Amino acid sequence: MNITEVARQSGLPAKTIRYYEDIGLIRPLRSSNGYRAFRDSDLHKLAFIGRARSLGFSIEDCRSLLALYEDKDRASADVKALAGRHLERIEAKLAELQAMQATLTQLVHACAGDARPDCPILAGLATGPACCA
């Protein structure tokens, strides 16, 4: 398969596929004229990476997940630990977003939104503590 076909089937842009090749996540074959020749296994890896990235896994996490996926002697505990660490990062980010939401909600409700120049939102941004620093 060529890169256009693999991009269509995997749902990933060709630029992303080239990047994944550049950083060594996939290694398609090269024909004598230098064109990439993707195998079904390359397509499978790209779909795997695409799903992992859609769940927010980092490139390095994807590299580790691929290695674990290809290691038939792996312990599922290793996979669970990696996914658990990622879940903890997501939960921390959610808490941070909820704190941001609470602060901004409070500021928006405090603002009259009229023609007067005083604005609690600007005052809060200028003097208040950052919600998530």
Side-chain angles (χ1 to χ4, degrees):
M1 283 179 277
N2 64 29
I3 196 163
T4 304
E5 181 63 19
V6 169
R8 186 186 65 74
Q9 288 189 39
S10 68
L12 297 173
K15 184 176 182 177
T16 300
I17 294 169
R18 286 186 203 97
Y19 172 69
Y20 289 164
E21 179 186 10
D22 288 344
I23 63 172
L25 283 178
I26 59 164
R27 290 187 173 80
L29 300 174
R30 292 282 182 158
S31 60
S32 59
N33 61 6
Y35 289 121
R36 293 170 184 87
F38 292 91
R39 300 159 287 201
D40 286 340
S41 61
D42 297 317
L43 176 61
H44 181 74
K45 284 181 184 180
L46 287 166
F48 182 96
I49 295 165
R51 285 189 295 274
R53 295 289 289 154
S54 74
L55 290 172
F57 283 100
S58 69
I59 293 293
E60 286 311 309
D61 284 344
C62 288
R63 191 179 307 280
S64 297
L65 286 167
L66 271 175
L68 288 165
Y69 181 76
E70 292 172 342
D71 179 4
K72 299 306 176 203
D73 294 325
R74 70 181 171 268
S76 65
D78 295 336
V79 181
K80 184 175 182 175
L82 193 153
R85 288 189 300 273
H86 182 57
L87 184 58
E88 288 171 0
R89 289 189 300 268
I90 290 171
E91 290 167 347
K93 187 63 161 175
L94 280 171
E96 188 177 302
L97 288 169
Q98 288 170 336
M100 290 167 59
Q101 180 186 30
T103 300
L104 192 54
T105 297
Q106 182 181 17
L107 292 172
V108 167
H109 283 96
C111 182
D114 55 19
R116 293 179 305 162
D118 36 307
C119 178
I121 297 170
L122 295 176
L125 292 173
T127 61
C131 71
C132 309

